[in-house]
Amino acid sequence: DLVLFYFSGHGYHFDGKNYLIPIKDADMEDETDIPHCAANVQGILDRLMEGNPPYATIMILDCCRPYFIKNASTSSRPQKLALIIGNYDYSDQKNKLTQFVKNVNDLSKLLETIDFQVTSHCNIKENMIGPIQDFCKKIIPNDLVLFYFSGHGYHFDGKNYLIPIKDADMEDETEVPDYAADVQRILDRLIENNLPCVTVMILDCCRPYFIRNPSISGRK
């Protein structure tokens, strides 16, 4: 299935995790109450993917964070920033993708027509966090930030990962955390230090992903 999750409302980052806030928030005394009152973003993503992994999962978080920007510089003009990553030329022949390069090119052109500053990368071999870190340096408070990944994804040990193209050396799924990029870590980097006004994360992940020695859970 193609699954889309959209949330519009307040979001909050606390203790390394991201939360979506329900409207009954008057009883929260301080941020330590957040985990008890709000919905954990990673928990939502896990529920969407792990029980019945969809063909593609799109998560759009249109989160308002006015309390974080009260002391932001008023002279800073909000930007529209997009990071587009397309991985399709995988080392293992069974994992090669064909149509994904068109997805990246088409989306990049579309976003540029609506005044996004687009940074795109295709076929990242190993270190996917590096380009993401460089992109995050451009973000200032109040920005509209979009992250799009097209390629293979994998769920292992309660976490979701995006796979770089140099994957032929992975012997089994226990090596996925060493080779791939943790989705929650990416989301944290996009929002925790720079606090954009809106963060959109689109994961156009292809499944199944062939791995030599998957566990039963890895074949979901």
Side-chain angles (χ1 to χ4, degrees):
D1 290 348
L2 171 61
V3 176
L4 184 146
F5 174 87
Y6 174 84
F7 174 83
S8 179
H10 279 299
Y12 200 91
H13 183 86
F14 173 69
D15 197 24
K17 297 179 181 179
N18 300 292
Y19 296 91
L20 308 181
I21 311 297
I23 62 170
K24 190 178 179 181
D25 60 343
D27 295 334
M28 286 194 288
E29 296 293 333
D30 54 50
E31 65 181 6
T32 60
D33 291 330
I34 293 287
H36 307 294
C37 301
N40 185 311
V41 171
Q42 184 62 41
I44 295 171
L45 188 59
D46 289 344
R47 286 181 179 274
L48 290 173
M49 299 179 68
E50 68 183 352
N52 183 27
Y55 171 74
T57 300
I58 299 172
M59 174 173 271
I60 301 177
L61 304 181
D62 185 4
C63 292
C64 180
R65 298 185 168 213
Y67 33 82
F68 280 124
I69 60 173
K70 62 175 70 173
N71 298 315
S73 171
T74 56
S75 62
S76 299
R77 182 180 179 183
Q79 308 172 96
K80 294 180 180 180
L81 302 175
L83 176 59
I84 311 295
I85 296 177
N87 287 348
Y88 52 89
D89 192 18
Y90 284 86
S91 301
D92 195 307
Q93 190 66 33
K94 296 184 180 67
N95 291 323
K96 288 186 182 293
L97 304 169
T98 55
Q99 77 279 16
F100 278 40
V101 62
K102 185 177 186 300
N103 296 350
V104 171
N105 292 336
D106 289 350
L107 181 59
S108 296
K109 292 177 182 177
L110 176 63
L111 291 173
E112 287 172 350
T113 65
I114 53 175
D115 300 324
F116 268 85
Q117 301 175 41
V118 178
T119 302
S120 61
H121 295 274
C122 286
N123 292 324
I124 298 178
K125 292 184 178 180
E126 296 178 276
N127 180 20
M128 290 183 56
I129 295 299
I132 294 168
Q133 288 177 319
D134 292 340
F135 174 76
C136 288
K137 294 175 183 177
K138 303 177 182 179
I139 305 172
I140 60 175
N142 288 331
D143 283 352
L144 170 57
V145 175
L146 184 146
F147 174 85
Y148 172 85
F149 174 82
S150 181
H152 278 297
Y154 201 86
H155 182 86
F156 173 69
D157 197 25
K159 296 182 180 180
N160 299 293
Y161 296 91
L162 308 181
I163 311 294
I165 66 167
K166 190 177 179 182
D167 62 336
D169 295 333
M170 282 196 289
E171 293 294 333
D172 57 54
E173 66 178 3
T174 61
E175 296 183 353
V176 168
D178 299 321
Y179 280 85
D182 185 328
V183 170
Q184 183 61 42
R185 185 181 176 194
I186 294 171
L187 187 59
D188 289 343
R189 287 183 178 275
L190 289 172
I191 67 176
E192 70 179 344
N193 293 325
N194 303 295
L195 304 175
C197 180
V198 178
T199 301
V200 178
M201 174 175 270
I202 301 176
L203 304 180
D204 186 5
C205 292
C206 180
R207 295 192 181 196
Y209 172 74
F210 173 80
I211 198 164
R212 295 180 190 178
N213 300 301
S215 69
I216 294 175
S217 63
R219 287 194 289 266
K220 286 182 179 179

